[in-house]
Amino acid sequence: MFLQRMKKVLLLLGVFLMLASCSEYQKVLKSDDAGKKYALAEELYNQAIVENSKSTFRKALRVLEQIVPQYRGKPQGEKLSFLYADTYYQLGDNQIAGYQFERFVASYPKSDKAEEASFKSAKSYFADSPRFDLDQAETVKAIGELQKYIDKYPNGEFLDQANQYVAELRVKLEKKAYEIAKQYHHTENYKSAIVAFNNFITEYPGSPFREAAFYYRFDSAYELAINSYEVLMQERLNTAKGFYTNYKKYYPEGSEYYEQIQANYQDLESRLQNF
């Protein structure tokens, strides 16, 4: 009986404190006292970091939105600008976070927080990079921002993470380019496939899709040749033969596409003998 009463008392006390806290928050939010708002914003931000609370970050953001413009150019402006950008970052609003961190670095390049802000700006754009089959403008921007961080802080605290993110994004761009070229091949647009695979092999020399690109470039040239008018066939068969030689140079017997390419090559040689 006593325990039940205590639970009720504690519950009521919790509700009372929450309401009082909300009431105080609303009171400060509606006031014209920038000092109180500054203190409240800092308190809420620190509380949100400790609790990892999205709702508290959102409360902090409402206060920060009101006072950041008021403190711009003042000594407190540097700290508030960082908290403002980081609050968006913690809430996962990547576009705004990236932009606000960029503004912070431009406004306070000598700040102790400049390196962290530079990395978080780049990481925000990294987080906003879409899957490989969509437009990759954001991916290109993210790579650019990460590379700026790497160049500026070659011994930086976040260097390993930045290099890892760049590698991931580059693979995404490679996969996009590879899949476009492969689509040309699968839809029997062999001329476009050959051009696309040539570009891919040149632009992405260390790609995990490189062997497949060599194989499909040969296969596109082979299919183009055997489906050509006779007057064009010999020249196109020789072009395909050159692509076969390229494949063999880098990928000897036992590689993934060896048996498939070997069968087509034997047919190619047989056709060339007729000329």
Side-chain angles (χ1 to χ4, degrees):
M1 193 73 173
F2 175 75
L3 289 175
Q4 288 180 341
R5 285 180 179 174
M6 283 299 295
K7 286 180 181 179
K8 288 181 180 179
V9 169
L10 291 172
L11 179 62
L12 289 171
L13 181 60
V15 171
F16 174 77
L17 291 173
M18 184 181 70
L19 291 173
S21 174
C22 290
S23 175
E24 183 63 24
Y25 171 76
Q26 291 296 334
K27 183 178 176 182
V28 174
L29 198 64
K30 293 175 182 178
S31 77
D32 295 324
D33 192 328
K36 285 185 178 180
K37 289 182 178 181
Y38 181 98
L40 179 61
E42 189 174 15
E43 179 188 339
L44 288 169
Y45 171 86
N46 290 332
Q47 182 184 338
I49 288 289
V50 172
E51 298 174 353
N52 190 26
S53 168
K54 299 289 187 187
S55 61
T56 307
F57 274 121
R58 282 191 285 270
K59 288 175 72 175
L61 183 61
R62 288 187 65 192
V63 185
L64 287 164
E65 285 172 337
Q66 290 186 2
I67 60 172
V68 165
Q70 295 178 333
Y71 281 97
R72 194 163 287 131
K74 296 179 181 178
Q76 302 96 322
E78 178 182 333
K79 184 172 186 177
L80 278 178
S81 294
F82 182 85
L83 296 188
Y84 187 51
D86 200 52
T87 299
Y88 277 114
Y89 177 84
Q90 299 294 341
L91 287 168
D93 198 331
N94 299 313
Q95 283 286 340
I96 298 179
Y99 171 72
Q100 290 298 335
F101 276 126
E102 277 188 88
R103 286 190 66 184
F104 177 85
V105 172
S107 300
Y108 307 102
K110 296 182 179 180
S111 170
D112 292 341
K113 291 288 190 178
E115 181 188 345
E116 183 181 349
S118 180
F119 173 72
K120 284 184 171 179
S121 174
K123 187 178 177 182
S124 296
Y125 292 120
F126 166 81
D128 231 27
S129 172
R131 65 177 192 261
F132 80 91
D133 55 328
L134 299 176
D135 180 78
Q136 293 302 302
E138 293 299 323
T139 300
V140 172
K141 180 171 178 59
I143 290 174
E145 293 300 315
L146 286 162
Q147 196 59 55
K148 280 200 293 189
Y149 170 82
I150 292 166
D151 293 342
K152 189 171 183 179
Y153 302 100
N155 299 306
E157 180 183 354
F158 310 101
L159 184 65
D160 289 343
Q161 282 179 269
N163 281 319
Q164 179 188 332
Y165 292 153
V166 168
E168 288 180 31
L169 294 174
R170 283 181 175 159
V171 168
K172 189 181 290 188
L173 291 181
E174 290 169 16
K175 187 169 178 60
K176 171 89 171 179
Y178 169 73
E179 290 295 339
I180 289 172
K182 194 175 175 182
Q183 186 66 21
Y184 286 137
H185 173 275
H186 287 355
T187 55
E188 301 181 5
N189 189 349
Y190 296 123
K191 286 184 180 180
S192 296
I194 292 167
V195 172
F197 281 122
N198 275 334
N199 291 338
F200 179 88
I201 289 166
T202 302
E203 291 174 21
Y204 304 108
S207 171
F209 310 109
R210 184 174 172 80
E211 181 184 352
F214 269 90
Y215 166 72
Y216 281 114
R217 180 177 67 169
F218 162 78
D219 198 60
S220 296
Y222 166 75
E223 291 290 344
L224 179 65
I226 66 173
N227 290 289
S228 296
Y229 293 113
E230 189 170 350
V231 68
L232 299 172
M233 189 176 293
Q234 184 178 13
E235 180 184 353
R236 289 178 174 178
L237 285 170
N238 279 318
T239 298
K241 185 175 180 178
F243 290 153
Y244 169 83
T245 302
N246 290 149
Y247 178 89
K248 286 275 289 182
K249 178 181 177 181
Y250 295 104
Y251 305 102
E253 186 174 353
S255 51
E256 183 177 353
Y257 299 95
Y258 185 82
E259 290 184 8
Q260 294 167 268
I261 203 170
Q262 205 63 24
N264 286 346
Y265 177 70
Q266 288 171 6
D267 178 63
L268 181 154
E269 285 283 38
S270 175
R271 291 171 185 269
L272 277 174
Q273 288 175 8
N274 295 328
F275 292 94

